[in-house]
Amino acid sequence: MIDVRGVSKSYGSVQALNDIQFQIDEGSCFGLVGPNGAGKSTFMKILVGVLQKFDGDIQVFNKSVKQNRQAVKSFIGYVPQDICLEELLTAKDNLMYFGRLYGLSGEHLRKRIRTVLDQIGLSDKANQKITEFSGGMKRRLNIGCAILHEPSLVVLDEPTVGIDPQSRHSIFALIQQLKERGSTVIYSSHYMEEVEQICNSVGFIDKGKLVEHGTMKHVLNKHRSASIFVSADGIGKEELSLYGDTIEKKTGFTVNCDDPLLTMGKMIEQFQQSGINPERLELSQARLEDIFFYLTGTQLRDNG
Ligand code: ADP
């Protein structure tokens, strides 16, 4: 288990983390979710031993990050947000280099490199210099470097930001494999659909505070309520707000109200009277993104 005990961290006057406290079960896939600047990277850097000055402590599989930093580092694979690779080397030589840093060598290392290249879908690019790689391929290789030593905890900081669909798919498949192998995976993102799809537990972080956490099922059941999605010419946020708390989305509005069916009936009546012909008018279950907004008042990104 990972036991986070009252972790706080300030950078000068900026409080990046404020008394964070929660647990993550061994073998689970935990999604740390929050907008840019929420404190996700700071938390991850503390967890993996990169940032050493902070208040509180984290026990990773019964070892304190503060007191047993080297031991904790040895069973963690950390993939930072910024890609860290040797540009002039081939994919295989990068893996060789990082593998040696983790203390691997000989036939074992060569075997691990073959397995990892296959896992990240780059076997056929093994001998290519990475200057020829796309951003997504580099990111996959970066993840490969971090899992060579078969870490029991894999920490990925926003691994799917700005990459192509093929690489995104490959990273999802890899996370799935890690889960099946029993690794604990901690993954930060501001893409809610991804987290809802991949993770079985979740933590919401906003302005350095953990506002909700638990199993995905628990968080969804606790806060989930039906809402109405409306897309219609001639109706805007102001009019819809009369029916309930209204959030503007890319293609329409979500209206949260106590009795969505009844409210929908009233809307239909008003639309008919006003000659409004909606493109879409449907009941929808609140998604993780809506729950985050409801709890924090913060949009994760520009209109989901
Ligand atoms: P996230 O990963 O969720 O985007 P961060 O952990 O990177 O958030 O940042 C949390 C807060 O701490 C932000 O206000 C950010 O500007 C600040 N911050 C992060 N790193 C530093 C640093 N090295 N020096 C000063 N402020 C920082």
Side-chain angles (χ1 to χ4, degrees):
M1 184 171 87
I2 294 157
D3 190 5
V4 183
R5 301 177 177 173
V7 169
S8 296
K9 166 78 190 168
S10 296
Y11 299 102
S13 61
V14 177
Q15 180 142 33
L17 294 175
N18 186 350
D19 197 19
I20 302 284
Q21 196 137 343
F22 67 109
Q23 284 99 32
I24 300 171
D25 288 336
E26 198 169 341
S28 64
C29 180
F30 179 87
L32 185 64
V33 162
N36 284 333
K40 302 184 294 298
S41 291
T42 301
F43 173 74
M44 291 189 153
K45 285 179 192 161
I46 289 174
L47 171 66
V48 302
V50 171
L51 269 179
Q52 293 170 56
K53 280 193 179 161
F54 63 98
D55 292 326
D57 198 6
I58 304 180
Q59 296 274 324
V60 183
F61 308 141
N62 292 322
K63 292 233 165 5
S64 153
V65 173
K66 269 198 169 150
Q67 279 147 34
N68 310 92
R69 198 166 76 93
Q70 285 313 325
V72 170
K73 275 183 138 180
S74 69
F75 49 71
I76 289 182
Y78 170 50
V79 187
Q81 214 171 338
D82 298 324
I83 288 169
C84 169
L85 294 167
E86 278 299 325
E87 286 280 333
L88 296 176
L89 297 180
T90 63
K92 195 168 158 187
D93 287 343
N94 261 289
L95 289 165
M96 194 67 87
Y97 173 76
F98 281 95
R100 290 200 178 114
L101 286 184
Y102 284 118
L104 309 181
S105 62
E107 184 48 31
H108 177 60
L109 175 56
R110 283 192 289 278
K111 199 167 159 221
R112 283 297 300 148
I113 289 176
R114 283 194 297 275
T115 306
V116 165
L117 279 168
D118 184 48
Q119 281 181 300
I120 58 177
L122 292 176
S123 296
D124 57 337
K125 305 278 190 300
N127 295 311
Q128 267 186 32
K129 281 217 178 100
I130 62 159
T131 39
E132 297 159 25
F133 278 18
S134 70
M137 285 157 73
K138 283 184 191 168
R139 194 166 289 278
R140 275 144 71 188
L141 183 58
N142 212 26
I143 297 175
C145 293
I147 59 170
L148 275 168
H149 61 304
E150 299 180 84
S152 36
L153 171 61
V154 182
V155 179
L156 304 125
D157 195 351
E158 304 250 13
T160 55
V161 167
I163 60 170
D164 56 282
Q166 192 198 346
S167 290
R168 181 177 292 239
H169 181 77
S170 167
I171 291 172
F172 284 180
L174 179 63
I175 292 177
Q176 191 61 37
Q177 278 180 32
L178 292 170
K179 276 161 63 177
E180 281 162 16
R181 211 188 65 188
S183 303
T184 307
V185 179
I186 300 183
Y187 162 84
S188 78
S189 183
H190 58 277
Y191 298 124
M192 284 292 205
E193 322 81 68
E194 271 183 26
V195 173
E196 214 174 319
Q197 188 186 334
I198 300 176
C199 301
N200 50 21
S201 58
V202 66
F204 286 161
I205 187 167
D206 189 42
K207 300 182 188 84
K209 284 194 171 158
L210 194 77
V211 288
E212 182 60 284
H213 70 98
T215 64
M216 187 65 73
K217 217 171 158 185
H218 168 81
V219 171
L220 288 173
N221 286 342
K222 184 171 167 193
H223 300 286
R224 182 167 261 183
S225 60
S227 57
I228 304 169
F229 185 82
V230 189
S231 167
D233 274 344
I235 193 127
K237 190 171 175 179
E238 205 175 311
E239 292 90 345
L240 290 170
S241 294
L242 299 173
Y243 294 103
D245 193 17
T246 302
I247 304 168
E248 188 164 0
K249 299 282 186 171
K250 209 183 273 172
T251 54
F253 298 91
T254 299
V255 183
N256 294 301
C257 44
D258 288 340
D259 192 339
L261 262 185
L262 191 73
T263 307
M264 204 170 185
K266 287 184 189 160
M267 273 186 192
I268 291 171
E269 218 170 281
Q270 190 218 323
F271 289 176
Q272 278 172 342
Q273 282 168 11
S274 320
I276 288 170
N277 201 4
E279 254 172 71
R280 283 173 65 190
L281 177 62
E282 54 207 47
L283 278 181
S284 64
Q285 283 293 337
R287 309 293 302 260
L288 212 51
E289 183 151 9
D290 302 314
I291 295 172
F292 188 89
F293 182 76
Y294 162 73
L295 287 173
T296 64
T298 310
Q299 294 270 30
L300 275 160
R301 54 196 164 116
D302 326 324
N303 304 330

